[in-house]
């Protein structure tokens, strides 16, 4: 039986912060499903077309912080556990493009 993935908890969030965390969770879900088209639809229009989706499986995500820096810029810091690499801190950078939050980078 496959273990259930633990995504970022957004039960205490609202507004932009809630939207941002939902996008980060969707990115993890699409990565785990191997769905590159859906994964890259979450990114901004300026993303590098040669960018590859990571192939490792995410098992757990723990939200450290969500910060909306400005009306068009935001950052999520999350502790992400993967099958292959264990626990790592990940930074999700966002930009607001045409009124919608899009991922610009995941480090």
């Amino acid at each position: 039986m496959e273990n259930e993935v633990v995504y970022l908890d957004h039960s205490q969030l609202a507004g932009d912060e809630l939207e941002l965390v939902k996008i980060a969770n969707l990115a993890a879900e699409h990565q785990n499903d191997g769905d590159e088209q859906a994964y890259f639809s979450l990114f901004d229009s300026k993303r590098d077309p040669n960018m590859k989706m990571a192939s490792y499986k995410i098992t757990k995500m723990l939200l450290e912080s969500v910060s909306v820096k400005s009306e068009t810029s935001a950052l999520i810091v999350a502790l992400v556990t993967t099958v292959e690499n264990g626990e790592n801190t990940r930074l999700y950078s966002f930009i607001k493009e045409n009124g919608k939050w899009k991922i610009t980078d995941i480090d």
Side-chain angles (χ1 to χ4, degrees), residues 8-77:
L8 297 173
D9 178 19
H10 52 70
S11 60
Q12 303 299 309
L13 302 175
D16 282 337
E17 291 180 347
L18 175 62
E19 196 178 330
L20 292 162
V21 170
K22 283 183 171 181
I23 293 168
N25 282 340
L26 266 178
E29 198 175 305
H30 295 323
Q31 179 178 322
N32 281 351
D33 292 344
D35 189 342
E36 280 199 21
Q37 191 174 357
Y39 179 79
F40 285 123
S41 74
L42 301 172
F43 283 75
D44 72 317
S45 60
K46 296 176 190 69
R47 95 173 158 81
D48 180 352
N50 299 317
M51 181 190 264
K52 298 277 186 247
M53 181 177 74
S55 59
Y56 48 79
K57 297 287 182 209
I58 294 170
T59 56
K60 185 177 175 188
M61 298 172 73
L62 187 67
L63 186 62
E64 291 191 357
S65 68
V66 185
S67 46
V68 178
K69 305 280 186 203
S70 71
E71 285 184 19
T72 58
S73 167
L75 186 69
I76 287 180
V77 180

